[in-house]
Amino acid sequence: DAGVIQSPRHEVTEMGQEVTLRCKPISGHNSLFWYRQTMMRGLELLIYFNNNVPIDDSGMPEDRFSAKMPNASFSTLKIQPSEPRDSAVYFCASRTGQLTTGELFFGEGSRLTVL
Amino acid sequence: EDQVTQSPEALRLQEGESSSLNCSYTVSGLRGLFWYRQDPGKGPEFLFTLYSAGEEKEKERLKATLTKKESFLHITAPKPEDSATYLCAVGGAQKLVFGQGTRLTINP
């Protein structure tokens, strides 16, 4: 069975440009998470969805960041306009709806570099 | 606010040299302590869940233990393929708060 699929794996862009990261969760998983990883701050939760509905976006750095989940098999994280400090690895993760486990299934990440 | 501190930041061992990684946490109410492994260029991979003090979980050369204030990941007779960053996280049904990780290197 395919795992969580993220695209692109690498993105290099210039400051001010729009960036869109994509995620396909594991089929049957109804919770989806977006994390950001940097050397300085480690893994930070940006936003998560349950049954396609955003539940908590308190980790989204600012209004330049937005995330959508139009259906159970697709989510996007958009940064507009991008800034150099947004450079990081962005991970998408999914999980079943069971409340008793912290087992998240992570994708391989999208490495973003903003010049 | 839940907080997780891992130590050491990095650890270098010889193959076969056993050691332990530490994860200290501060939470309003522990709903679970989770260990993940992350290889370079990959996403974290789930290893263990611990729920209550005294609980232990094992997988191959790894054993995770939990007290009221901290968790240890013991690695026995490690092999080079155990080299990775080990992440600890606390949280509940929805949100996991991760530590900064311990970067473990096993030299042959």
Side-chain angles (χ1 to χ4, degrees), chain B residues 57-94:
Chain B
K57 293 278 180 70
E58 286 190 64
K59 181 179 181 179
E60 296 182 357
R61 295 174 292 282
L62 298 176
K63 183 169 77 173
T65 62
L66 181 65
T67 73
K68 289 185 178 180
K69 295 291 186 184
E70 58 192 351
S71 177
F72 293 93
L73 185 64
H74 308 277
I75 181 161
T76 303
K79 299 181 178 181
E81 54 261 42
D82 295 320
S83 297
T85 295
Y86 291 85
L87 298 164
C88 168
V90 296
Q94 306 294 357

Side-chain angles (χ1 to χ4, degrees), chain B residues 31-53:
Chain B
R31 291 145 295 184
L33 186 293
F34 312 95
W35 284 97
Y36 282 76
R37 168 189 171 131
Q38 186 174 22
D39 292 303
K42 303 288 187 180
E45 180 182 353
F46 174 78
L47 291 173
F48 302 112
T49 304
L50 301 165
Y51 286 109
S52 56

Side-chain angles (χ1 to χ4, degrees), chain A residues 33 56 95 100 102 104 108, chain B residues 36 38 42 51 93-95:
Chain A
F33 303 78
D56 186 345
R95 192 192 66 193
T100 57
L104 301 182
E108 296 202 327
Chain B
Y36 282 76
Q38 186 174 22
K42 303 288 187 180
Y51 286 109
Q94 306 294 357
K95 299 177 69 168

Side-chain angles (χ1 to χ4, degrees), chain A residues 22-98:
Chain A
R22 298 172 177 80
C23 175
K24 176 179 170 55
I26 293 173
S27 178
H29 284 190
N30 59 357
S31 295
L32 183 139
F33 303 78
W34 282 101
Y35 279 87
R36 177 172 68 176
Q37 187 174 43
T38 61
M39 290 292 292
M40 290 296 294
R41 300 174 68 89
L43 262 174
E44 302 173 282
L45 178 64
L46 300 177
I47 185 172
Y48 69 91
F49 297 81
N50 276 354
N51 297 316
N52 313 337
V53 176
I55 302 301
D56 186 345
D57 65 354
S58 60
M60 297 286 261
E62 47 198 273
D63 292 345
R64 296 184 297 107
F65 286 69
S66 62
K68 294 182 179 180
M69 192 166 185
N71 57 63
S73 59
F74 184 66
S75 178
T76 59
L77 178 67
K78 184 178 292 187
I79 308 172
Q80 180 184 25
S82 59
E83 297 183 2
R85 59 191 167 124
D86 302 330
S87 297
V89 181
Y90 291 82
F91 287 102
C92 176
S94 70
R95 192 192 66 193
T96 66
Q98 296 302 315

